[in-house]
Amino acid sequence: MIQVQHLIKLFGSFRAVDDVTFEVQKGEVLGFLGPNGAGKSTTMRMLTGFFPPTSGTAKIMGFDIIKESLEAKRQIGYLPENAPVYPDMTVEGYLKFIAEVRGFSGQELKKKVARAVEICSLEKVLPQTVDTLSKGYKQRVCFAQAILPDPPVLILDEPTDGLDPNQKFEVRRMISSMAENKCVILSTHILEEVDAVCTRAIIIANGKIVANGSPEELKRRSSLYEAVTFSLDSVPKDEAVSAVSALANVAKVEVLKENEGSLTLRALPAAGSVIAPAVAEEIRRRGWISTQFHVEEGRLDEVFRNITRQ
Amino acid sequence: MKTIYSIMKREMNGYFGSPVAYVFIVIFLILCGFFTFQFGDFYNSNDASLRTFFVWHPWLYLFLIPAVAMRMWAEERRTRTIELLLTLPVTLPQAILGKFLAGWLFIGIALALTFPMVITVCYLGDPDIGQIVAGYVGSFLLAGCYLSVGSFASSLTRNQVVAFIICLVICLFFVVAGWAPVTDALASSVPLSVANFIASLSFMYRFDSVQRGVIDTRDLIYYASVITFMLAASSVVLTSRKAS
């Protein structure tokens, strides 16, 4: 469990992290979202003990990051941004080094290394030096290093940055497979990632938390939430727009696309209302032919932009 | 303790995993021999001791040890591996000490490989073994001082070349402060007590006294305090600048 209390970090007079408070429970995967320079990495570096906060503190599995720094560090597997792994070491040598520093030896060390290698599918590159590896493999070596001691807390800074779609999928799969009995914090600016792996998301901008909730809750803040997108065949545009606009709780109707004989419209609901059944009923009543009918879940990228662009 | 050992082992493998280590050892051995036999005029000195061998060490170290030390922290900061190292369950002093000991041991190995000199001098004459041992101990301690300065210089920058130059300049100061031409010049321009104080800070002053075959407690304290001070300074610098 991670408890972060009023964390502040100043660089000179610049408030990189400004009074951040949150908690992560076991089994949660917390997505840390925010524009570049919002304070995501700075927060993670404080949690992992790379540098101390200016004020405030955090507890990692009950260990204070300032007073019990070494114990706190033992609880964490950390994947820093850009996967900084010693370029002149072999993958095997590197993982053994990590295991040794983590306090393993003998058979246990071998087992831990073997397990990390298996989870991250590194068998093929074990004797290679890190600087000969592709970006995807390098990222995986660094990921292997983070999970090697099987820590209760994983902190991953942009774990899928710079990977191709297949590699991204692989890394997300690894994270999800381990999430069940761990606390995971991962930072990203890829919003689909939040949908794919996170149980909760925090949006941070200018060092402050501006939103904290499950991906569904965040999407509900979108103006598109519960909007209905539908297409109609051979219905005059004006007739369709005025009919749908007249329905209760429909705030606005937009024409998205207009082709010969085919029309794509989007009806936006008044805040907090549901209009899909009414729209569907109207289409049926008028005998229109609708080839597509889709209720929007709300879009994270829109919420993200609205919140972080103030 | 075990953590320091793990870090030391990794650094050690780092030295021997790259050609730098072998180049360093070969150059060190060649220069040692060259200076001893050519400039030191070892054979004609008619003296069964290694004095003409050790006397060059402060000058050789001046160029070679900054080369060993320069990557110590500069490279960690440049490649950002420092972030991973210091977020492992490792304290900063452990990391500094592990790296320092690895470098020191490496130089110790290079120094040990000069053993043919000892064989030569034993074959040719009947040297004072105690003095030779003291010479090696003194040289090794001196190397430790240079290396601790190198650790400090390397923590100041991300650029290895800059680290090399800073280390060389600081070491040069420590060397020439006790070098006869400089001490003479100082003695004639400042009060004698000040000149003596500056000379006593010098590596040379201590090095000479150990080379005479006497390992004085004061010399040991001097070497230990220089190393401790420089490593502590590395720690202070790294604490404040590791993030930048």
Side-chain angles (χ1 to χ4, degrees), chain A residues 131-164:
Chain A
D131 55 2
T132 64
L133 298 179
S134 67
K135 172 126 202 196
Y137 264 118
K138 226 178 108 190
Q139 193 84 11
R140 256 146 69 178
V141 171
C142 205
F143 192 79
Q145 163 278 129
I147 59 159
L148 188 136
D150 201 8
V153 172
L154 276 180
I155 295 183
L156 313 168
D157 199 350
E158 299 194 2
T160 60
D161 186 44
L163 302 184
D164 70 33

PDB file of all heavy atoms in Angstrom, chain A residues 131-164:
ATOM      1  N   ASP A 131      24.052  -2.701 -24.659  1.00  0.00           N
ATOM      2  CA  ASP A 131      24.084  -1.698 -25.739  1.00  0.00           C
ATOM      3  C   ASP A 131      23.830  -2.301 -27.126  1.00  0.00           C
ATOM      4  O   ASP A 131      23.644  -1.551 -28.083  1.00  0.00           O
ATOM      5  CB  ASP A 131      25.383  -0.868 -25.713  1.00  0.00           C
ATOM      6  CG  ASP A 131      26.621  -1.741 -25.747  1.00  0.00           C
ATOM      7  OD1 ASP A 131      26.472  -2.972 -25.837  1.00  0.00           O
ATOM      8  OD2 ASP A 131      27.732  -1.194 -25.682  1.00  0.00           O
ATOM      9  N   THR A 132      23.813  -3.627 -27.239  1.00  0.00           N
ATOM     10  CA  THR A 132      23.502  -4.223 -28.537  1.00  0.00           C
ATOM     11  C   THR A 132      22.007  -4.517 -28.684  1.00  0.00           C
ATOM     12  O   THR A 132      21.564  -5.001 -29.715  1.00  0.00           O
ATOM     13  CB  THR A 132      24.255  -5.550 -28.742  1.00  0.00           C
ATOM     14  OG1 THR A 132      23.795  -6.482 -27.751  1.00  0.00           O
ATOM     15  CG2 THR A 132      25.748  -5.381 -28.600  1.00  0.00           C
ATOM     16  N   LEU A 133      21.232  -4.235 -27.626  1.00  0.00           N
ATOM     17  CA  LEU A 133      19.811  -4.598 -27.648  1.00  0.00           C
ATOM     18  C   LEU A 133      18.962  -3.506 -28.297  1.00  0.00           C
ATOM     19  O   LEU A 133      19.313  -2.330 -28.269  1.00  0.00           O
ATOM     20  CB  LEU A 133      19.305  -4.823 -26.227  1.00  0.00           C
ATOM     21  CG  LEU A 133      19.951  -5.955 -25.439  1.00  0.00           C
ATOM     22  CD1 LEU A 133      19.343  -6.016 -24.055  1.00  0.00           C
ATOM     23  CD2 LEU A 133      19.781  -7.274 -26.157  1.00  0.00           C
ATOM     24  N   SER A 134      17.832  -3.928 -28.847  1.00  0.00           N
ATOM     25  CA  SER A 134      16.872  -2.965 -29.373  1.00  0.00           C
ATOM     26  C   SER A 134      16.173  -2.282 -28.198  1.00  0.00           C
ATOM     27  O   SER A 134      16.242  -2.744 -27.065  1.00  0.00           O
ATOM     28  CB  SER A 134      15.834  -3.680 -30.219  1.00  0.00           C
ATOM     29  OG  SER A 134      15.053  -4.514 -29.388  1.00  0.00           O
ATOM     30  N   LYS A 135      15.515  -1.197 -28.508  1.00  0.00           N
ATOM     31  CA  LYS A 135      14.835  -0.434 -27.458  1.00  0.00           C
ATOM     32  C   LYS A 135      13.827  -1.300 -26.679  1.00  0.00           C
ATOM     33  O   LYS A 135      13.717  -1.205 -25.467  1.00  0.00           O
ATOM     34  CB  LYS A 135      14.140   0.764 -28.095  1.00  0.00           C
ATOM     35  CG  LYS A 135      13.261   1.515 -27.141  1.00  0.00           C
ATOM     36  CD  LYS A 135      13.566   2.980 -27.077  1.00  0.00           C
ATOM     37  CE  LYS A 135      13.032   3.477 -25.750  1.00  0.00           C
ATOM     38  NZ  LYS A 135      12.879   4.862 -25.610  1.00  0.00           N
ATOM     39  N   GLY A 136      13.111  -2.126 -27.422  1.00  0.00           N
ATOM     40  CA  GLY A 136      12.105  -2.974 -26.782  1.00  0.00           C
ATOM     41  C   GLY A 136      12.724  -3.953 -25.788  1.00  0.00           C
ATOM     42  O   GLY A 136      12.223  -4.136 -24.678  1.00  0.00           O
ATOM     43  N   TYR A 137      13.835  -4.557 -26.192  1.00  0.00           N
ATOM     44  CA  TYR A 137      14.509  -5.490 -25.291  1.00  0.00           C
ATOM     45  C   TYR A 137      15.090  -4.774 -24.082  1.00  0.00           C
ATOM     46  O   TYR A 137      15.050  -5.269 -22.963  1.00  0.00           O
ATOM     47  CB  TYR A 137      15.613  -6.244 -26.037  1.00  0.00           C
ATOM     48  CG  TYR A 137      15.158  -7.598 -26.540  1.00  0.00           C
ATOM     49  CD1 TYR A 137      15.129  -7.903 -27.896  1.00  0.00           C
ATOM     50  CD2 TYR A 137      14.748  -8.567 -25.641  1.00  0.00           C
ATOM     51  CE1 TYR A 137      14.698  -9.136 -28.346  1.00  0.00           C
ATOM     52  CE2 TYR A 137      14.320  -9.813 -26.078  1.00  0.00           C
ATOM     53  CZ  TYR A 137      14.294 -10.090 -27.433  1.00  0.00           C
ATOM     54  OH  TYR A 137      13.870 -11.312 -27.858  1.00  0.00           O
ATOM     55  N   LYS A 138      15.644  -3.578 -24.341  1.00  0.00           N
ATOM     56  CA  LYS A 138      16.236  -2.815 -23.248  1.00  0.00           C
ATOM     57  C   LYS A 138      15.171  -2.516 -22.188  1.00  0.00           C
ATOM     58  O   LYS A 138      15.395  -2.648 -20.993  1.00  0.00           O
ATOM     59  CB  LYS A 138      16.806  -1.503 -23.796  1.00  0.00           C
ATOM     60  CG  LYS A 138      18.189  -1.200 -23.282  1.00  0.00           C
ATOM     61  CD  LYS A 138      18.713   0.083 -23.885  1.00  0.00           C
ATOM     62  CE  LYS A 138      18.737   1.163 -22.846  1.00  0.00           C
ATOM     63  NZ  LYS A 138      19.016   2.492 -23.377  1.00  0.00           N
ATOM     64  N   GLN A 139      13.999  -2.119 -22.702  1.00  0.00           N
ATOM     65  CA  GLN A 139      12.885  -1.825 -21.810  1.00  0.00           C
ATOM     66  C   GLN A 139      12.513  -3.074 -21.002  1.00  0.00           C
ATOM     67  O   GLN A 139      12.232  -2.998 -19.814  1.00  0.00           O
ATOM     68  CB  GLN A 139      11.698  -1.354 -22.660  1.00  0.00           C
ATOM     69  CG  GLN A 139      10.593  -0.725 -21.875  1.00  0.00           C
ATOM     70  CD  GLN A 139      10.862   0.745 -21.619  1.00  0.00           C
ATOM     71  OE1 GLN A 139      11.762   1.334 -22.194  1.00  0.00           O
ATOM     72  NE2 GLN A 139      10.088   1.338 -20.739  1.00  0.00           N
ATOM     73  N   ARG A 140      12.548  -4.216 -21.671  1.00  0.00           N
ATOM     74  CA  ARG A 140      12.183  -5.457 -20.993  1.00  0.00           C
ATOM     75  C   ARG A 140      13.222  -5.858 -19.955  1.00  0.00           C
ATOM     76  O   ARG A 140      12.880  -6.390 -18.902  1.00  0.00           O
ATOM     77  CB  ARG A 140      12.006  -6.579 -22.011  1.00  0.00           C
ATOM     78  CG  ARG A 140      10.543  -6.849 -22.239  1.00  0.00           C
ATOM     79  CD  ARG A 140      10.219  -7.259 -23.613  1.00  0.00           C
ATOM     80  NE  ARG A 140      10.712  -8.558 -23.995  1.00  0.00           N
ATOM     81  CZ  ARG A 140      10.469  -9.094 -25.185  1.00  0.00           C
ATOM     82  NH1 ARG A 140       9.747  -8.438 -26.055  1.00  0.00           N
ATOM     83  NH2 ARG A 140      10.936 -10.270 -25.488  1.00  0.00           N
ATOM     84  N   VAL A 141      14.502  -5.600 -20.255  1.00  0.00           N
ATOM     85  CA  VAL A 141      15.551  -5.895 -19.276  1.00  0.00           C
ATOM     86  C   VAL A 141      15.323  -5.045 -18.033  1.00  0.00           C
ATOM     87  O   VAL A 141      15.403  -5.520 -16.899  1.00  0.00           O
ATOM     88  CB  VAL A 141      16.958  -5.613 -19.860  1.00  0.00           C
ATOM     89  CG1 VAL A 141      18.016  -5.720 -18.768  1.00  0.00           C
ATOM     90  CG2 VAL A 141      17.267  -6.570 -20.988  1.00  0.00           C
ATOM     91  N   CYS A 142      14.992  -3.788 -18.259  1.00  0.00           N
ATOM     92  CA  CYS A 142      14.772  -2.896 -17.124  1.00  0.00           C
ATOM     93  C   CYS A 142      13.517  -3.309 -16.352  1.00  0.00           C
ATOM     94  O   CYS A 142      13.479  -3.231 -15.134  1.00  0.00           O
ATOM     95  CB  CYS A 142      14.670  -1.453 -17.604  1.00  0.00           C
ATOM     96  SG  CYS A 142      15.112  -0.275 -16.335  1.00  0.00           S
ATOM     97  N   PHE A 143      12.518  -3.761 -17.087  1.00  0.00           N
ATOM     98  CA  PHE A 143      11.303  -4.261 -16.442  1.00  0.00           C
ATOM     99  C   PHE A 143      11.626  -5.506 -15.615  1.00  0.00           C
ATOM    100  O   PHE A 143      11.164  -5.669 -14.484  1.00  0.00           O
ATOM    101  CB  PHE A 143      10.260  -4.568 -17.517  1.00  0.00           C
ATOM    102  CG  PHE A 143       8.894  -4.818 -16.970  1.00  0.00           C
ATOM    103  CD1 PHE A 143       8.090  -3.769 -16.598  1.00  0.00           C
ATOM    104  CD2 PHE A 143       8.417  -6.115 -16.830  1.00  0.00           C
ATOM    105  CE1 PHE A 143       6.834  -3.998 -16.077  1.00  0.00           C
ATOM    106  CE2 PHE A 143       7.163  -6.355 -16.318  1.00  0.00           C
ATOM    107  CZ  PHE A 143       6.364  -5.288 -15.944  1.00  0.00           C
ATOM    108  N   ALA A 144      12.441  -6.383 -16.189  1.00  0.00           N
ATOM    109  CA  ALA A 144      12.844  -7.610 -15.478  1.00  0.00           C
ATOM    110  C   ALA A 144      13.543  -7.253 -14.171  1.00  0.00           C
ATOM    111  O   ALA A 144      13.313  -7.870 -13.123  1.00  0.00           O
ATOM    112  CB  ALA A 144      13.777  -8.432 -16.358  1.00  0.00           C
ATOM    113  N   GLN A 145      14.380  -6.241 -14.236  1.00  0.00           N
ATOM    114  CA  GLN A 145      15.089  -5.767 -13.054  1.00  0.00           C
ATOM    115  C   GLN A 145      14.105  -5.311 -11.972  1.00  0.00           C
ATOM    116  O   GLN A 145      14.300  -5.571 -10.787  1.00  0.00           O
ATOM    117  CB  GLN A 145      16.026  -4.644 -13.517  1.00  0.00           C
ATOM    118  CG  GLN A 145      16.594  -3.718 -12.483  1.00  0.00           C
ATOM    119  CD  GLN A 145      15.635  -2.621 -12.091  1.00  0.00           C
ATOM    120  OE1 GLN A 145      15.400  -2.417 -10.911  1.00  0.00           O
ATOM    121  NE2 GLN A 145      15.041  -1.938 -13.037  1.00  0.00           N
ATOM    122  N   ALA A 146      13.030  -4.630 -12.416  1.00  0.00           N
ATOM    123  CA  ALA A 146      12.055  -4.094 -11.458  1.00  0.00           C
ATOM    124  C   ALA A 146      11.269  -5.210 -10.758  1.00  0.00           C
ATOM    125  O   ALA A 146      11.017  -5.152  -9.563  1.00  0.00           O
ATOM    126  CB  ALA A 146      11.104  -3.131 -12.161  1.00  0.00           C
ATOM    127  N   ILE A 147      10.909  -6.249 -11.520  1.00  0.00           N
ATOM    128  CA  ILE A 147      10.074  -7.296 -10.925  1.00  0.00           C
ATOM    129  C   ILE A 147      10.908  -8.395 -10.279  1.00  0.00           C
ATOM    130  O   ILE A 147      10.364  -9.271  -9.607  1.00  0.00           O
ATOM    131  CB  ILE A 147       9.141  -7.940 -11.975  1.00  0.00           C
ATOM    132  CG1 ILE A 147       9.978  -8.550 -13.097  1.00  0.00           C
ATOM    133  CG2 ILE A 147       8.158  -6.931 -12.516  1.00  0.00           C
ATOM    134  CD1 ILE A 147       9.243  -9.595 -13.871  1.00  0.00           C
ATOM    135  N   LEU A 148      12.213  -8.352 -10.474  1.00  0.00           N
ATOM    136  CA  LEU A 148      13.067  -9.446 -10.019  1.00  0.00           C
ATOM    137  C   LEU A 148      12.869  -9.844  -8.550  1.00  0.00           C
ATOM    138  O   LEU A 148      12.707 -11.021  -8.245  1.00  0.00           O
ATOM    139  CB  LEU A 148      14.532  -9.109 -10.306  1.00  0.00           C
ATOM    140  CG  LEU A 148      15.522 -10.239 -10.061  1.00  0.00           C
ATOM    141  CD1 LEU A 148      16.519 -10.310 -11.199  1.00  0.00           C
ATOM    142  CD2 LEU A 148      16.252 -10.083  -8.756  1.00  0.00           C
ATOM    143  N   PRO A 149      12.860  -8.879  -7.620  1.00  0.00           N
ATOM    144  CA  PRO A 149      12.695  -9.292  -6.225  1.00  0.00           C
ATOM    145  C   PRO A 149      11.239  -9.605  -5.858  1.00  0.00           C
ATOM    146  O   PRO A 149      10.957  -9.851  -4.700  1.00  0.00           O
ATOM    147  CB  PRO A 149      13.212  -8.077  -5.456  1.00  0.00           C
ATOM    148  CG  PRO A 149      13.010  -6.922  -6.359  1.00  0.00           C
ATOM    149  CD  PRO A 149      13.096  -7.428  -7.757  1.00  0.00           C
ATOM    150  N   ASP A 150      10.347  -9.587  -6.835  1.00  0.00           N
ATOM    151  CA  ASP A 150       8.923  -9.785  -6.580  1.00  0.00           C
ATOM    152  C   ASP A 150       8.425  -8.809  -5.513  1.00  0.00           C
ATOM    153  O   ASP A 150       7.865  -9.217  -4.497  1.00  0.00           O
ATOM    154  CB  ASP A 150       8.662 -11.230  -6.134  1.00  0.00           C
ATOM    155  CG  ASP A 150       7.200 -11.606  -6.362  1.00  0.00           C
ATOM    156  OD1 ASP A 150       6.480 -10.812  -6.992  1.00  0.00           O
ATOM    157  OD2 ASP A 150       6.783 -12.676  -5.880  1.00  0.00           O
ATOM    158  N   PRO A 151       8.626  -7.512  -5.738  1.00  0.00           N
ATOM    159  CA  PRO A 151       8.302  -6.519  -4.713  1.00  0.00           C
ATOM    160  C   PRO A 151       6.798  -6.280  -4.630  1.00  0.00           C
ATOM    161  O   PRO A 151       6.093  -6.483  -5.616  1.00  0.00           O
ATOM    162  CB  PRO A 151       9.009  -5.262  -5.229  1.00  0.00           C
ATOM    163  CG  PRO A 151       8.978  -5.408  -6.716  1.00  0.00           C
ATOM    164  CD  PRO A 151       9.048  -6.875  -7.006  1.00  0.00           C
ATOM    165  N   PRO A 152       6.321  -5.867  -3.459  1.00  0.00           N
ATOM    166  CA  PRO A 152       4.882  -5.592  -3.333  1.00  0.00           C
ATOM    167  C   PRO A 152       4.451  -4.322  -4.070  1.00  0.00           C
ATOM    168  O   PRO A 152       3.272  -4.142  -4.322  1.00  0.00           O
ATOM    169  CB  PRO A 152       4.670  -5.445  -1.836  1.00  0.00           C
ATOM    170  CG  PRO A 152       6.013  -5.159  -1.265  1.00  0.00           C
ATOM    171  CD  PRO A 152       7.023  -5.775  -2.170  1.00  0.00           C
ATOM    172  N   VAL A 153       5.418  -3.464  -4.387  1.00  0.00           N
ATOM    173  CA  VAL A 153       5.077  -2.207  -5.063  1.00  0.00           C
ATOM    174  C   VAL A 153       5.886  -2.076  -6.355  1.00  0.00           C
ATOM    175  O   VAL A 153       7.087  -2.317  -6.359  1.00  0.00           O
ATOM    176  CB  VAL A 153       5.406  -0.988  -4.156  1.00  0.00           C
ATOM    177  CG1 VAL A 153       5.236   0.314  -4.916  1.00  0.00           C
ATOM    178  CG2 VAL A 153       4.527  -1.004  -2.919  1.00  0.00           C
ATOM    179  N   LEU A 154       5.201  -1.734  -7.436  1.00  0.00           N
ATOM    180  CA  LEU A 154       5.894  -1.488  -8.698  1.00  0.00           C
ATOM    181  C   LEU A 154       5.648  -0.041  -9.108  1.00  0.00           C
ATOM    182  O   LEU A 154       4.504   0.408  -9.136  1.00  0.00           O
ATOM    183  CB  LEU A 154       5.361  -2.398  -9.802  1.00  0.00           C
ATOM    184  CG  LEU A 154       5.910  -3.813  -9.921  1.00  0.00           C
ATOM    185  CD1 LEU A 154       5.236  -4.525 -11.083  1.00  0.00           C
ATOM    186  CD2 LEU A 154       7.421  -3.799 -10.120  1.00  0.00           C
ATOM    187  N   ILE A 155       6.721   0.674  -9.431  1.00  0.00           N
ATOM    188  CA  ILE A 155       6.584   2.040  -9.918  1.00  0.00           C
ATOM    189  C   ILE A 155       7.222   2.094 -11.296  1.00  0.00           C
ATOM    190  O   ILE A 155       8.416   1.842 -11.444  1.00  0.00           O
ATOM    191  CB  ILE A 155       7.228   3.039  -8.941  1.00  0.00           C
ATOM    192  CG1 ILE A 155       6.451   2.998  -7.620  1.00  0.00           C
ATOM    193  CG2 ILE A 155       7.223   4.452  -9.530  1.00  0.00           C
ATOM    194  CD1 ILE A 155       6.902   3.973  -6.578  1.00  0.00           C
ATOM    195  N   LEU A 156       6.408   2.377 -12.298  1.00  0.00           N
ATOM    196  CA  LEU A 156       6.877   2.275 -13.678  1.00  0.00           C
ATOM    197  C   LEU A 156       6.696   3.623 -14.369  1.00  0.00           C
ATOM    198  O   LEU A 156       5.572   4.109 -14.523  1.00  0.00           O
ATOM    199  CB  LEU A 156       6.084   1.199 -14.425  1.00  0.00           C
ATOM    200  CG  LEU A 156       5.903  -0.133 -13.688  1.00  0.00           C
ATOM    201  CD1 LEU A 156       4.870  -1.001 -14.397  1.00  0.00           C
ATOM    202  CD2 LEU A 156       7.214  -0.873 -13.571  1.00  0.00           C
ATOM    203  N   ASP A 157       7.811   4.216 -14.785  1.00  0.00           N
ATOM    204  CA  ASP A 157       7.749   5.522 -15.433  1.00  0.00           C
ATOM    205  C   ASP A 157       7.738   5.328 -16.942  1.00  0.00           C
ATOM    206  O   ASP A 157       8.751   4.942 -17.518  1.00  0.00           O
ATOM    207  CB  ASP A 157       8.950   6.371 -14.985  1.00  0.00           C
ATOM    208  CG  ASP A 157       8.711   7.858 -15.225  1.00  0.00           C
ATOM    209  OD1 ASP A 157       7.727   8.192 -15.895  1.00  0.00           O
ATOM    210  OD2 ASP A 157       9.520   8.663 -14.736  1.00  0.00           O
ATOM    211  N   GLU A 158       6.619   5.596 -17.549  1.00  0.00           N
ATOM    212  CA  GLU A 158       6.432   5.424 -18.993  1.00  0.00           C
ATOM    213  C   GLU A 158       6.942   4.073 -19.488  1.00  0.00           C
ATOM    214  O   GLU A 158       7.867   4.010 -20.300  1.00  0.00           O
ATOM    215  CB  GLU A 158       7.101   6.573 -19.743  1.00  0.00           C
ATOM    216  CG  GLU A 158       6.479   7.894 -19.333  1.00  0.00           C
ATOM    217  CD  GLU A 158       6.840   9.052 -20.248  1.00  0.00           C
ATOM    218  OE1 GLU A 158       7.551   8.830 -21.227  1.00  0.00           O
ATOM    219  OE2 GLU A 158       6.369  10.155 -19.977  1.00  0.00           O
ATOM    220  N   PRO A 159       6.330   2.999 -19.011  1.00  0.00           N
ATOM    221  CA  PRO A 159       6.856   1.669 -19.336  1.00  0.00           C
ATOM    222  C   PRO A 159       6.732   1.302 -20.812  1.00  0.00           C
ATOM    223  O   PRO A 159       7.459   0.434 -21.272  1.00  0.00           O
ATOM    224  CB  PRO A 159       6.005   0.723 -18.474  1.00  0.00           C
ATOM    225  CG  PRO A 159       4.774   1.489 -18.178  1.00  0.00           C
ATOM    226  CD  PRO A 159       5.166   2.932 -18.124  1.00  0.00           C
ATOM    227  N   THR A 160       5.859   1.947 -21.557  1.00  0.00           N
ATOM    228  CA  THR A 160       5.695   1.556 -22.959  1.00  0.00           C
ATOM    229  C   THR A 160       6.204   2.618 -23.914  1.00  0.00           C
ATOM    230  O   THR A 160       5.974   2.540 -25.111  1.00  0.00           O
ATOM    231  CB  THR A 160       4.216   1.291 -23.286  1.00  0.00           C
ATOM    232  OG1 THR A 160       3.491   2.486 -23.029  1.00  0.00           O
ATOM    233  CG2 THR A 160       3.668   0.164 -22.461  1.00  0.00           C
ATOM    234  N   ASP A 161       6.921   3.595 -23.371  1.00  0.00           N
ATOM    235  CA  ASP A 161       7.406   4.689 -24.203  1.00  0.00           C
ATOM    236  C   ASP A 161       8.370   4.183 -25.275  1.00  0.00           C
ATOM    237  O   ASP A 161       9.321   3.468 -24.995  1.00  0.00           O
ATOM    238  CB  ASP A 161       8.120   5.700 -23.308  1.00  0.00           C
ATOM    239  CG  ASP A 161       8.529   6.949 -24.065  1.00  0.00           C
ATOM    240  OD1 ASP A 161       7.696   7.443 -24.835  1.00  0.00           O
ATOM    241  OD2 ASP A 161       9.669   7.395 -23.889  1.00  0.00           O
ATOM    242  N   GLY A 162       8.124   4.550 -26.508  1.00  0.00           N
ATOM    243  CA  GLY A 162       9.042   4.205 -27.595  1.00  0.00           C
ATOM    244  C   GLY A 162       8.953   2.773 -28.081  1.00  0.00           C
ATOM    245  O   GLY A 162       9.807   2.331 -28.833  1.00  0.00           O
ATOM    246  N   LEU A 163       7.963   2.022 -27.632  1.00  0.00           N
ATOM    247  CA  LEU A 163       7.835   0.634 -28.081  1.00  0.00           C
ATOM    248  C   LEU A 163       6.857   0.549 -29.249  1.00  0.00           C
ATOM    249  O   LEU A 163       5.983   1.396 -29.403  1.00  0.00           O
ATOM    250  CB  LEU A 163       7.333  -0.246 -26.932  1.00  0.00           C
ATOM    251  CG  LEU A 163       8.191  -0.240 -25.679  1.00  0.00           C
ATOM    252  CD1 LEU A 163       7.627  -1.233 -24.673  1.00  0.00           C
ATOM    253  CD2 LEU A 163       9.637  -0.602 -26.002  1.00  0.00           C
ATOM    254  N   ASP A 164       7.006  -0.494 -30.063  1.00  0.00           N
ATOM    255  CA  ASP A 164       6.042  -0.667 -31.155  1.00  0.00           C
ATOM    256  C   ASP A 164       4.759  -1.305 -30.598  1.00  0.00           C
ATOM    257  O   ASP A 164       4.749  -1.776 -29.459  1.00  0.00           O
ATOM    258  CB  ASP A 164       6.674  -1.439 -32.319  1.00  0.00           C
ATOM    259  CG  ASP A 164       6.917  -2.896 -31.990  1.00  0.00           C
ATOM    260  OD1 ASP A 164       6.126  -3.486 -31.222  1.00  0.00           O
ATOM    261  OD2 ASP A 164       7.899  -3.465 -32.504  1.00  0.00           O
TER     262      ASP A 164
END
